[in-house]
Amino acid sequence: MKDLVAKVIRDGGYRRYLGVQTGFAVDACWGAANLVLGILQTSVWFITLGVYYVVFGIIRLMLLSCMRHGSGANAAGLRRVERICGIMLLVSVFVLSGIVTLVMKDLGGFEYDEILIYAMATFAFYSLVSSIVSCVRLRKHSDVIVVVNSRVNLAIALVSIFAVEIAMLTAFGTAEDAQLRFVMPILTGTGIAITVGFLGVRCVLGNGRRRS
């Protein structure tokens, strides 16, 4: 146990691997949970959100495979992985557009227990702040995997905020808030889709020269 802790403290590469691995586990579990909820409740909302997290689980799985096989020494291989991850980010924009479409058609929303909504909101805001800081700080990092993973974290945090917003409007909104419940998610979703699309394009085009 002491050896493992020492490795985590001293080995930056191992810490990054654990971070991506943890992210994959969270994305896979949360995506599967939403898919199951969607099937059991016949909810297209949860199914769409589940698909979104599955897309990011696939991206993280690609990054893990790249790290395990030591593709860091192959610049061409890393560039290919970065481009594919960028394309996957762009694909996620279409999934996100599906959620916005559901809002526009006024087909309900995400329904969670109130306590769970508060917990999700707290975690979502923390994730958003930390992911923005990391994305800005690591934007010129020499390791492609670090850069792509920071962008994935930001994209997921943004959609978590979006899901919480819809869940809150669904749980606490009244008939008088009908216009707000319609307009606000559309504006938020559109802004998030543009941001995630930008992150995807950056990955597809490459990040230029990076620092270590």
Side-chain angles (χ1 to χ4, degrees):
M1 185 63 181
K2 289 183 178 180
D3 292 339
L4 178 60
V5 172
K7 185 175 183 180
V8 171
I9 294 175
R10 298 174 183 174
D11 192 337
Y14 186 67
R15 285 198 305 274
R16 288 193 290 270
Y17 179 80
L18 285 180
V20 177
Q21 193 175 52
T22 301
F24 167 72
V26 172
D27 294 343
C29 290
W30 189 240
N34 279 281
L35 288 174
V36 171
L37 276 174
I39 293 172
L40 293 178
Q41 299 182 10
T42 319
S43 170
V44 68
W45 286 89
F46 285 114
I47 291 176
T48 305
L49 187 61
V51 170
Y52 188 87
Y53 277 93
V54 167
V55 170
F56 283 98
I58 294 173
I59 294 177
R60 301 235 204 226
L61 194 60
M62 291 176 57
L63 296 178
L64 284 173
S65 177
C66 186
M67 296 173 82
R68 279 198 299 264
H69 291 87
S71 298
N74 187 340
L78 281 175
R79 181 69 192 95
R80 183 169 58 254
V81 169
E82 183 182 25
R83 187 178 294 112
I84 293 174
C85 289
I87 293 173
M88 294 294 288
L89 280 169
L90 293 175
V91 168
S92 74
V93 173
F94 290 99
V95 181
L96 180 59
S97 299
I99 299 178
V100 176
T101 301
L102 293 175
V103 174
M104 294 176 67
K105 291 186 175 182
D106 195 21
L107 297 177
F110 300 111
E111 295 183 5
Y112 298 103
D113 181 80
E114 289 186 11
I115 296 178
L116 182 58
I117 290 177
Y118 292 130
M120 289 173 58
T122 301
F123 179 75
F125 280 108
Y126 167 78
S127 297
L128 180 61
V129 173
S130 62
S131 62
I132 290 175
V133 172
S134 295
C135 200
V136 172
R137 182 170 57 86
L138 300 173
R139 68 187 184 282
K140 292 293 184 179
H141 199 281
S142 60
D143 192 331
V144 170
I145 294 175
V146 172
V147 176
V148 173
N149 191 58
S150 68
R151 291 171 179 170
V152 169
N153 288 337
L154 178 56
I156 290 177
L158 287 169
V159 172
S160 295
I161 289 290
F162 187 37
V164 167
E165 176 186 87
I166 295 174
M168 283 185 165
L169 290 172
T170 301
F172 308 118
T174 64
E176 298 176 354
D177 302 325
Q179 186 173 4
L180 177 66
R181 291 170 58 186
F182 178 77
V183 175
M184 190 173 176
I186 292 176
L187 294 177
T188 303
T190 301
I192 291 174
I194 292 173
T195 303
V196 175
F198 173 75
L199 296 174
V201 170
R202 286 294 301 274
C203 288
V204 171
L205 297 180
N207 208 39
R209 296 182 60 185
R210 294 187 172 92
R211 59 177 173 76
S212 58

